[in-house]
Amino acid sequence: MRSAYTQFKWKLHDHYQKCGTSVRGRATLPPPDLWGERSTEEWHWLCDELYTDPKYIDKCKKNSTSRKRQRTTHRGGAMPFIQHALRTAKEGNPLSFIDNWAAMYQDSNSNWVSDAARDKYDRLKNKREEHKEKLTLEAPEGTPPESVQVTARDEIPIMAEECGRKGKRVRGLGSFPRMKLPTVTSSTAVSSEMNVMQDKVKKLESTVDTMRSQNAQLMTMLKKFLMNSQGCFADTENIDMNIVVPNSEEDDVFGRDEDGVQNNGDNSETEDLEEDL
């Protein structure tokens, strides 16, 4: 809905600009398939009060300049990046912010939307491998190298370093996490923010594990029920379950921010025209 409204506003303004002058634009209504049954007075209001407003004109110029500097855009839609990561984890895949970021910049055929996105993922992946090597060296003697894994919590500093930050959020994580911390630039404050982020990711990982366990239990119960039902010959191996566990911790992680304000899926990565590449 947000995307459709944004496109609608853009098409109206584009029609106005193509008229060449403010007088001609005011006198020319948009096409019926765009303007619908709206009145002429509403169009005149847009032309007189908005399109000729110096502040609006200046904002449009700045947005245009930002779009020209933006080297690529993601394919994640309006859903926050963290929601995509959770959906992938529910399917049984490891929770990884770096791999989730890569998926947002690839099309349905796994083709990169740009060379810049592919190069950034290569840097993220290399830094993750470097961190894994460090963890392997620090592991107790005799620990199998394949058992050493870089967790999502470990990936947050890598994302912050490579993708950058916007306020108190790390680019590439969408609208999560939201934090109330003093805006200072000292290393102590940055370390504190990272600790808060990692605590939230730990909660997220626990939520995913709980939901997987509950889904497995429900699937087992369903199979037993079908097998015990008289005359039931359903192929229980091919059952597709997408179970949503109500009142889970996910509501606390994603449903509301720290002020208790409902998160409606606003993806600030898109709306703010970030220049993260």
Side-chain angles (χ1 to χ4, degrees):
M1 182 65 69
R2 176 185 294 271
S3 177
Y5 179 62
T6 300
Q7 288 294 318
F8 173 70
K9 292 192 300 180
W10 176 84
K11 289 178 180 179
L12 290 179
H13 190 223
D14 183 62
H15 166 78
Y16 174 82
Q17 290 181 312
K18 286 181 177 178
C19 291
T21 65
S22 58
V23 175
R24 188 179 302 171
R26 190 177 190 278
T28 308
L29 284 176
D33 59 341
L34 175 62
W35 188 244
E37 298 180 357
R38 298 174 180 83
S39 66
T40 303
E41 288 74 17
E42 291 177 289
W43 175 246
H44 288 171
W45 182 89
L46 281 175
C47 297
D48 297 339
E49 301 296 332
L50 184 62
Y51 296 157
T52 56
D53 183 2
K55 292 183 179 179
Y56 180 81
I57 294 174
D58 183 61
K59 181 180 179 180
C60 290
K61 290 181 179 179
K62 290 181 179 179
N63 287 342
S64 178
T65 301
S66 297
R67 284 191 294 268
K68 291 177 182 178
R69 288 200 302 260
Q70 194 172 8
R71 302 172 65 184
T72 188
T73 55
H74 66 78
R75 300 296 180 89
M79 183 185 297
F81 278 25
I82 191 65
Q83 292 283 17
H84 286 282
L86 177 63
R87 174 182 293 179
T88 302
K90 285 181 180 178
E91 297 172 355
N93 299 307
L95 179 63
S96 170
F97 293 136
I98 292 178
D99 292 339
N100 180 68
W101 183 92
M104 296 300 98
Y105 287 90
Q106 296 179 20
D107 60 21
S108 57
N109 296 321
S110 298
N111 296 319
W112 290 98
V113 297
S114 71
D115 293 338
R118 181 190 58 203
D119 293 342
K120 174 169 285 191
Y121 175 65
D122 287 342
R123 295 194 298 270
L124 289 168
K125 187 170 58 174
N126 290 338
K127 289 183 179 180
R128 181 172 59 184
E129 288 300 318
E130 292 174 1
H131 186 69
K132 183 176 180 178
E133 292 177 1
K134 179 182 177 181
L135 293 177
T136 302
L137 294 175
E138 296 174 350
E141 185 176 354
T143 302
E146 59 273 11
S147 66
V148 179
Q149 299 295 329
V150 179
T151 66
R153 281 169 285 172
D154 296 327
E155 291 180 343
I156 291 179
I158 299 175
M159 295 286 293
E161 180 182 355
E162 187 61 40
C163 297
R165 302 166 62 89
K166 183 175 183 180
K168 297 175 182 177
R169 292 187 290 187
V170 175
R171 295 183 186 272
L173 299 186
S175 57
F176 168 85
R178 296 176 183 267
M179 298 171 294
K180 285 244 179 220
L181 293 173
T183 305
V184 293
T185 57
S186 68
S187 59
T188 302
V190 172
S191 176
S192 176
E193 290 184 15
M194 288 301 174
N195 290 335
V196 173
M197 291 182 185
Q198 291 173 345
D199 289 342
K200 289 191 175 185
V201 175
K202 184 177 181 180
K203 184 178 181 181
L204 167 63
E205 292 171 337
S206 176
T207 299
V208 171
D209 291 340
T210 300
M211 295 180 70
R212 285 177 180 168
S213 175
Q214 292 175 339
N215 284 355
Q217 293 176 7
L218 290 173
M219 178 63 76
T220 301
M221 293 172 59
L222 177 59
K223 287 184 177 181
K224 289 182 179 179
F225 172 78
L226 293 177
M227 293 175 65
N228 295 332
S229 297
Q230 184 176 3
C232 179
F233 300 96
D235 182 7
T236 58
E237 295 298 324
N238 295 323
I239 298 176
D240 182 16
M241 294 289 289
N242 184 16
I243 300 173
V244 177
V245 182
N247 300 323
S248 67
E249 292 184 0
E250 179 190 355
D251 295 334
D252 294 331
V253 178
F254 302 107
R256 299 179 181 275
D257 60 21
E258 294 187 355
D259 294 323
V261 179
Q262 186 67 31
N263 183 350
N264 294 320
D266 179 21
N267 188 352
S268 62
E269 302 278 344
T270 302
E271 183 178 359
D272 295 334
L273 296 174
E274 62 168 327
E275 304 165 30
D276 61 339
L277 291 175

